[in-house]
Amino acid sequence: MTTVRDATLEVLRRYGVDRIFGNPGSTEVAFLADLPDDLTFVLALHEGSVVGMATGYALATDRPAVVNLHTTAGLGNAVGALATARVNRAPLVVLVGQQDRRHLAAEPFLAGRLDRLADPYPVWVEQPVLAQDVPAAVRRAWHEAALRRGPALVVVPMDDWSAEVDPFLGRAAPERVQVPAPAPGPALDEVARLVDAASAPVLVVGAGADDPATWDALVALAERIGAPVWQEAFGARAGFPQDHPRFAGHLPAARSRLRAVLDGHDLALVVGTAALRQYVYEPGPLLPAGLTVAVVSADPDEVHRSEAELAVLTDPAVFCAALTARVALRDRPAPPRPAPDPVPPPAPGEPLRATHVFAALARRLPADVVLVEETPSTRPDLHRMLPARQPRGFVSAAMGGLGFGLPAAAGLRLGDPTRPVVAILGDGSSLYAVQGLWSAARYGCGVLYVVLTNGRYAVMDRLTERYGGKPPWPAFEEVDLHGLARSFGCPARRVRTHPELLDVLDEVVPTLAGRTEPLLLDIAVTPETHFTP
């Protein structure tokens, strides 16, 4: 007989799935026991690391990654990471274990009310009415995740896996979903008129533009209309080459500063994100007077929440390429890009700062590096000194929850071992997912982890001071990231001086492309005294 498990494994096989990311629980044992040899179970030691690693893998491969989570506890632990996967546009098929269907109504131990536990972050959630429907639900989850670019959840009661599949019942979901090439349609005419009528257009780009086709289309468009290009605030990924002469920088996340940046422009064409992301609330208008906003995105949520006169739901690469061919050429040379201020080495006895580390990396990292960022207090300096130069050159936890960067870097390297991966993390950020180092070491993910250790939550200290108070939490300077990494089987080295920093980077950076084991650099830096979102 063919069981639900057999049929589901065959669905995964047909889509080329060769690994499942998870942390096991008893409600999933019937599915996981004796996995066939063509499927590898990739273990992480916490569900946040499971989903973070799978998110990186999905971004690197541009295909859904399959995740296994354990009922309420596992899904609950993973909600923050699922939210990040949604904002980072990572397609995930998430199988969530549930108690035995035959006594589920009595809410036995490990039963969970799972269908809405992660809301609103999954793009689709289903607990099949019949065990028979599980394989079709997994098929549909694959399509939903791939097309809507986010996590799709299937809740499976544990006894469903051994149920027999009735060969005479229908599939209930297509084997393949073909999406026609998106035509720009009538909206192209309207946006082209807006661009041609504008005297000073500006482009704003976001994570939805982070692919080679959209980068090419946006470069051509920016050069044709002579527009500066800004990256959205707190972006998950880079939407434009940040070493291009037209790249102007990262938008501020406060209204007054945003208005100052956009003042003098009469059209903002926002591509691959919503208009416009903020952080700390400030009263007053979002935009300067006289600015028209148009949004182009493939994400319905972004389109519907944007403060814009016009929003177009379409493929950004196709639309922007067609728009470039329609609008008038403007002869506007790009303004000269000021080089970042040089960072002199610290004087004898002076402590290392984050900018010393960034400057050393900037001189050594190759153009194809995948830079994973989770260092909130120094992110503006990182943006300024380490621009993304290729698609997928920058990945961050744009949802704001810490603990994404460490496992995501491992998943990115696992999904695409042809590109070097460097994760720049704060020590506080690292502690939210430090157990991910075990998975990185166990599965040969050759990531360079650059941990800026200052023994405190520096960004929270600065924000508290801005409110005129003192932080009520202590520092944690006794925490030893070097020792923790080694306890998880991850090689680690301490760096305390500038010569040590240069020596280790000169030794390690040339090996990044071929590394098959991670390395953590525990770099002591002095806490920053300012933070500007």
Side-chain angles (χ1 to χ4, degrees):
M1 83 174 179
T2 300
T3 65
V4 166
R5 180 181 187 265
D6 296 332
T8 302
L9 290 173
E10 186 57 31
V11 169
L12 298 181
R13 249 183 224 108
R14 290 185 183 183
Y15 292 130
V17 175
D18 63 358
R19 67 198 72 203
I20 297 172
F21 296 86
N23 184 272
S26 56
T27 54
E28 301 83 57
V29 167
F31 174 64
L32 297 175
D34 295 324
L35 274 181
D37 292 341
D38 59 343
L39 270 177
T40 298
F41 187 85
V42 179
L43 174 65
L45 305 184
H46 183 274
E47 288 82 2
S49 294
V50 169
V51 175
M53 200 171 183
T55 296
Y57 185 83
L59 294 179
T61 60
D62 200 32
R63 301 180 74 250
V66 178
V67 172
N68 177 86
L69 296 176
H70 173 52
T71 191
T72 310
L75 181 57
N77 283 346
V79 169
L82 290 170
T84 295
R86 176 69 180 272
V87 175
N88 282 57
R89 301 165 181 265
L92 304 178
V93 173
V94 183
L95 305 178
V96 184
Q98 175 63 292
Q99 248 285 8
D100 193 300
R101 188 187 288 272
R102 292 167 293 188
H103 65 160
L104 197 54
E107 296 195 14
F109 178 65
L110 293 181
R113 300 182 182 185
L114 305 175
D115 57 333
R116 299 183 63 183
L117 180 58
D119 277 358
Y121 300 112
V123 296
W124 185 72
V125 179
E126 176 76 351
Q127 179 173 316
V129 175
L130 302 173
Q132 168 79 33
D133 299 331
V134 169
V138 173
R139 257 198 310 272
R140 179 167 174 184
W142 182 273
H143 302 319
E144 296 281 0
L147 297 175
R148 298 173 65 183
R149 312 305 295 176
L153 273 60
V154 182
V155 178
V156 186
M158 58 193 296
D159 58 313
D160 282 10
W161 296 116
S162 58
E164 185 176 357
V165 171
D166 185 341
F168 298 105
L169 291 181
R171 291 175 177 270
E175 189 79 24
R176 295 179 298 121
V177 175
Q178 294 284 7
V179 179
L188 179 64
D189 298 331
E190 188 170 354
V191 175
R193 284 195 296 270
L194 287 173
V195 172
D196 282 339
S199 60
V202 61
L203 299 179
V204 177
V205 299
D210 184 24
D211 63 82
T214 311
W215 273 38
D216 290 346
L218 284 168
V219 166
L221 179 59
E223 291 176 346
R224 184 163 183 83
I225 66 176
V229 182
W230 289 87
Q231 173 76 30
E232 67 171 329
F234 290 98
R237 293 149 63 187
F240 192 83
Q242 294 173 358
D243 57 347
H244 190 278
R246 293 285 173 189
F247 184 69
H250 292 74
L251 285 179
R255 291 184 174 221
S256 58
R257 296 174 57 232
L258 177 67
R259 291 196 302 271
V261 166
L262 296 179
D263 193 32
H265 295 285
D266 52 358
L267 173 68
L269 181 60
V270 180
V271 180
T273 184
L276 289 154
R277 203 170 202 206
Q278 299 288 284
Y279 178 29
V280 178
Y281 175 74
E282 250 187 13
L286 176 66
L287 303 170
L291 180 68
T292 298
V293 176
V295 173
V296 177
S297 175
D299 185 332
D301 286 345
E302 288 180 346
V303 163
H304 294 151
R305 71 171 181 267
S306 289
E307 188 166 323
E309 282 76 9
L310 172 66
V312 184
L313 183 62
T314 188
D315 182 285
V318 174
F319 190 89
C320 290
L323 182 63
T324 301
R326 291 285 300 274
V327 296
L329 175 65
R330 305 181 189 216
D331 185 16
R332 289 183 177 174
R337 281 174 57 87
D341 294 334
V343 178
E350 181 185 350
L352 280 172
R353 305 184 69 87
T355 49
H356 295 131
V357 180
F358 299 159
L361 288 169
R363 290 192 293 270
R364 290 165 174 81
L365 292 181
D368 65 340
V369 68
V370 180
L371 194 66
V372 182
E373 176 273 332
E374 200 167 273
T375 170
S377 62
T378 56
R379 187 175 186 178
D381 289 326
L382 183 146
H383 281 322
R384 178 171 52 86
M385 301 176 69
L386 292 167
R389 292 171 282 176
Q390 291 188 13
R392 207 178 356 107
F394 175 82
V395 178
S396 180
M399 195 62 197
L402 300 179
F404 165 76
L406 193 152
L412 283 157
R413 180 68 176 176
L414 194 64
D416 183 3
T418 69
R419 290 183 67 174
V421 178
V422 175
I424 302 180
L425 315 170
D427 53 346
S429 301
S430 302
L431 292 173
Y432 282 89
V434 69
Q435 67 283 117
L437 293 173
W438 182 89
S439 300
R442 174 65 177 77
Y443 298 104
C445 304
V447 177
L448 176 62
Y449 290 103
V450 177
V451 180
L452 306 177
T453 303
N454 56 34
R456 65 201 71 235
Y457 296 122
V459 68
M460 294 305 302
D461 293 350
R462 299 295 83 79
L463 287 171
T464 304
E465 291 164 3
R466 183 176 297 180
Y467 278 91
K470 295 181 179 180
W473 46 81
F476 45 87
E477 294 169 332
E478 67 275 19
V479 173
D480 180 6
L481 263 298
H482 171 270
L484 282 171
R486 291 170 63 87
S487 75
F488 285 115
C490 176
R493 292 165 70 168
R494 288 191 177 95
V495 175
R496 296 296 180 261
T497 68
H498 195 250
E500 289 175 348
L501 172 67
L502 301 186
D503 286 346
V504 73
L505 292 181
D506 284 337
E507 175 190 338
V508 173
V509 169
T511 73
L512 289 180
R515 286 191 73 86
T516 56
E517 68 173 8
L519 174 65
L520 182 140
L521 302 183
D522 179 356
I523 305 176
V525 296
T526 189
E528 298 299 316
T529 58
H530 67 281
F531 170 70
T532 303

